[in-house]
Amino acid sequence: MRAPRWTVPALVLALTVVQLLVATFARDLPQFAGKAFGARLVFYPVMMLFVPGVWFAVHRGSRPAPWGGFSLVMLPFLVDVSGNTLDLYDRVVWWDDLLHFGNWCLLTLGLGVVLRLADVRPRWVRAVTAVGGGALLALLWEVGEWWTFIRHGTELDTAYEDTLGDMVLGTTGSAVALVVLVALSRRSSSGTRP
């Protein structure tokens, strides 16, 4: 018996929410202190469900849902909260940088899959949307970090440099995702299954 295709995104969402609940109510654990987990408990599920919500509102069952794309869009939120749960942000000096690159790569791959299945034309619009959208989302993420926990926290002295680096890494991750999407598109159009 095969699991339904929505199982993976549902599992990613559930694992994220469970960890967010733990982080929100276990404030005495140092890896969760001062990192706005109450706000994340509200906003992460909303952001994770935004793309599927828009997809279903627009297509109303007229197309098969891109569950793989939804999973890729949701995965960065799980990776982020898992990094906090395992205290990797404080224990591994390069963890934050890796995630800004890797999570934006995943997010852009997911959005690219969703947009490709939605037959966005011409192709250059997908490219602008992927990299430009990734850069915009990196900016919005950094504004959210600043608003929720940096402006009144202990990281204010290093926030400017960190924010610029995070935005560059996020945009670079989006550009790498675009290269992967183009390569997969070429393989599928040449008859080779990706």
Side-chain angles (χ1 to χ4, degrees), residues 72-158:
L72 288 167
V73 167
M74 294 175 161
L75 197 55
F77 298 96
L78 174 61
V79 173
D80 175 67
V81 76
S82 297
N84 279 288
T85 299
L86 298 171
D87 199 22
L88 296 175
Y89 285 97
D90 293 328
R91 292 188 305 133
V92 180
V93 71
W94 45 263
W95 181 254
D96 183 62
D97 292 338
L98 175 67
L99 287 206
H100 278 279
F101 174 81
N103 280 348
W104 260 257
C105 191
L106 291 170
L107 181 64
T108 304
L109 279 170
L111 290 173
V113 167
V114 171
L115 291 172
R116 181 172 153 228
L117 292 175
D119 294 326
V120 173
R121 298 280 189 238
R123 288 182 178 173
W124 67 265
V125 171
R126 282 187 236 161
V128 170
T129 303
V131 179
L136 176 62
L137 291 173
L139 171 65
L140 293 173
W141 185 271
E142 292 303 316
V143 169
E145 278 187 353
W146 178 83
W147 182 260
T148 56
F149 64 89
I150 291 176
R151 67 190 172 119
H152 298 298
T154 60
E155 300 175 19
L156 192 55
D157 292 341
T158 60

Side-chain angles (χ1 to χ4, degrees), residues 19-20 23-25 31-42 44 80-81 84-85:
Q19 288 184 84
L20 287 169
T24 300
F25 296 108
Q31 67 263 39
F32 302 133
K35 295 185 179 174
F37 275 97
R40 291 182 195 207
L41 179 58
V42 173
Y44 276 23
D80 175 67
V81 76
N84 279 288
T85 299

Side-chain angles (χ1 to χ4, degrees), residues 5-19 48 71 74-75 78:
R5 295 190 67 200
W6 52 263
T7 303
V8 173
L11 183 61
V12 169
L13 178 64
L15 290 170
T16 304
V17 170
V18 167
Q19 288 184 84
M48 292 172 80
S71 298
M74 294 175 161
L75 197 55
L78 174 61

